[in-house]
C-alpha cells in the first residue's frame, strides 16, 4: 500500500510540474509559490523539480544560437561526391562548419558508413589550421565515452589535404530537434544529462570542447546523444 501511495504521489507530482511548465510555454507567468500551495505535502518536491527544469531550460537557451549555413550543402565541395578517399567512397554532404565540410562515406573494408571531415580548401595552406585539424584527431583519440562520437582514422594526402574519418551517427542534430517546437520534459532531461556526461568525461581528460551548440549534438533514433566536432577544443 505504501508503494502504491508513493506511485500516486509521483504521478501527481509529474502532472503538476507539466501543468506549470505548460503555462510558461503559453506565455503565462504563474506564481510558483501560489501554484505549489494547491498541492499540500508536495510543495517542496514540486518547487525543486520546477527549479531543476528551469535550470535545464536556461542551459538549452544558451546553446540555441545556430549558424544555419552549417546545414546547407556546399556547392564548392560537392565535387568530392562519388570519389574515393582511401578505402572510403564519398556519397553525400551531411554538414558544414568553420573548420571543415562533413561527408557521408562508405567503408569498403568493413562495409559500414562513416563521417568524413575534410579541411576547407581555403585553410589547407594555413599551417595553424592544419595543426588544429591534426590536434582534433589526437583529442578525439584520447576520449572514450558512449556520448562522444569516436574517430576511426586520419588520412593525410601528399597535396596537403587532410580528412578525419569519424563515427557516422544516424538521427537529427539537436538544432533540428528543437526547431519550431519545444522538447518534451523527459527528452530535455535525458539529452541534458547525456551532454553533461560527455562534457564531464572530456574534462576528466583535460579537454574543453569550446563549441558546444545544438548543431554539434546528435540525437539517434533511440535517444542516444553524441557530442560532435571537437575542432575548436582546447586542452
Amino acid at each position: 500500500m505504501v508503494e502504491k501511495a508513493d506511485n500516486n504521489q509521483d504521478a501527481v507530482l509529474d502532472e503538476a510540474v507539466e501543468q506549470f511548465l505548460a503555462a510558461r510555454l503559453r506565455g503565462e507567468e504563474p506564481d510558483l509559490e501560489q501554484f505549489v500551495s494547491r498541492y499540500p505535502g508536495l510543495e517542496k518536491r514540486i518547487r525543486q523539480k520546477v527549479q531543476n527544469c528551469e535550470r535545464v531550460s536556461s542551459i538549452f537557451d544558451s546553446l540555441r544560437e545556430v549558424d544555419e549555413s552549417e546545414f546547407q550543402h556546399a556547392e564548392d565541395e560537392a565535387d568530392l561526391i562519388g570519389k574515393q578517399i582511401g578505402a572510403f567512397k564519398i556519397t553525400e554532404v551531411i554538414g558544414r562548419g568553420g573548420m571543415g565540410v562533413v561527408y557521408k562515406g562508405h567503408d569498403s573494408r568493413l562495409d559500414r558508413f562513416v563521417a568524413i571531415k575534410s579541411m576547407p580548401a581555403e585553410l589547407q595552406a594555413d599551417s595553424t589550421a592544419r595543426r588544429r585539424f591534426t590536434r582534433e584527431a589526437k583529442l578525439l583519440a584520447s576520449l572514450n565515452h558512449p556520448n562522444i562520437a569516436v574517430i576511426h582514422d586520419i588520412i593525410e594526402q601528399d597535396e596537403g589535404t587532410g580528412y578525419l574519418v569519424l563515427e557516422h551517427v544516424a538521427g537529427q542534430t539537436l538544432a533540428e530537434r528543437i526547431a519550431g517546437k519545444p522538447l518534451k520534459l523527459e527528452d530535455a532531461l535525458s539529452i541534458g544529462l547525456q551532454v553533461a556526461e560527455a562534457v564531464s568525461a572530456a574534462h576528466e581528460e583535460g579537454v574543453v570542447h569550446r563549441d558546444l551548440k545544438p548543431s554539434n549534438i546528435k540525437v539517434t533514433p533511440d535517444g542516444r546523444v553524441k557530442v560532435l566536432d571537437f575542432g575548436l577544443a582546447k586542452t
Side-chain angles (χ1 to χ4, degrees):
M1 294 294 291
V2 173
E3 183 178 350
K4 185 174 182 180
D6 288 342
N7 289 340
N8 287 339
Q9 276 198 344
D10 288 341
V12 171
L13 175 66
D14 288 340
E15 183 178 352
V17 173
E18 286 186 14
Q19 287 180 2
F20 184 87
L21 296 177
R24 284 278 180 89
L25 289 172
R26 291 193 298 268
E28 302 172 16
E29 293 294 335
D31 181 84
L32 180 58
E33 295 307 315
Q34 184 178 359
F35 182 84
V36 299
S37 66
R38 305 176 196 170
Y39 300 90
L42 292 176
E43 297 98 322
K44 184 177 180 180
R45 292 178 66 189
I46 293 174
R47 188 184 298 110
Q48 184 65 52
K49 197 162 186 177
V50 167
Q51 289 170 348
N52 287 344
C53 291
E54 288 176 338
R55 278 197 289 271
V56 171
S57 178
S58 68
I59 291 172
F60 279 101
D61 284 343
S62 70
L63 296 175
R64 200 165 294 199
E65 293 298 324
V66 181
D67 181 358
E68 295 298 330
S69 67
E70 294 187 11
F71 302 102
Q72 296 172 359
H73 286 195
E75 293 182 5
D76 57 337
E77 301 289 346
D79 58 352
L80 280 183
I81 295 175
K83 292 189 176 180
Q84 195 83 14
I85 298 174
F88 309 99
K89 184 174 182 178
I90 304 297
T91 60
E92 61 181 294
V93 178
I94 57 177
R96 179 177 173 86
M99 278 304 296
V101 178
V102 183
Y103 301 91
K104 183 177 181 180
H106 181 258
D107 183 345
S108 60
R109 294 172 302 185
L110 299 176
D111 192 21
R112 63 179 174 181
F113 286 106
V114 296
I116 298 179
K117 182 176 182 180
S118 74
M119 187 186 302
E122 61 269 22
L123 295 180
Q124 289 171 10
D126 187 320
S127 59
T128 301
R130 290 201 307 274
R131 284 197 301 270
R132 179 178 288 178
F133 202 71
T134 303
R135 186 186 64 184
E136 179 181 1
K138 292 179 179 178
L139 289 178
L140 278 173
S142 72
L143 303 176
N144 181 19
H145 191 272
N147 296 121
I148 298 176
V150 301
I151 182 169
H152 297 312
D153 200 359
I154 182 170
I155 300 174
E156 294 181 283
Q157 298 185 329
D158 293 338
E159 61 271 24
T161 54
Y163 303 92
L164 300 185
V165 183
L166 308 164
E167 174 185 4
H168 178 259
V169 183
Q172 293 180 306
T173 65
L174 181 57
E176 293 167 328
R177 281 286 298 271
I178 64 177
K181 60 180 180 180
L183 290 170
K184 293 181 180 179
L185 175 61
E186 58 269 27
D187 291 340
L189 293 174
S190 174
I191 292 170
L193 177 61
Q194 292 182 72
V195 171
E197 288 176 342
V199 171
S200 177
H203 289 180
E204 287 178 4
E205 298 297 328
V207 177
V208 182
H209 190 287
R210 298 207 306 167
D211 195 23
L212 194 62
K213 56 187 177 182
S215 57
N216 285 338
I217 298 169
K218 204 77 177 282
V219 185
T220 68
D222 62 355
R224 169 74 68 182
V225 165
K226 293 280 188 176
V227 175
L228 314 173
D229 201 345
F230 280 74
L232 297 181
K234 184 177 181 180
T235 56

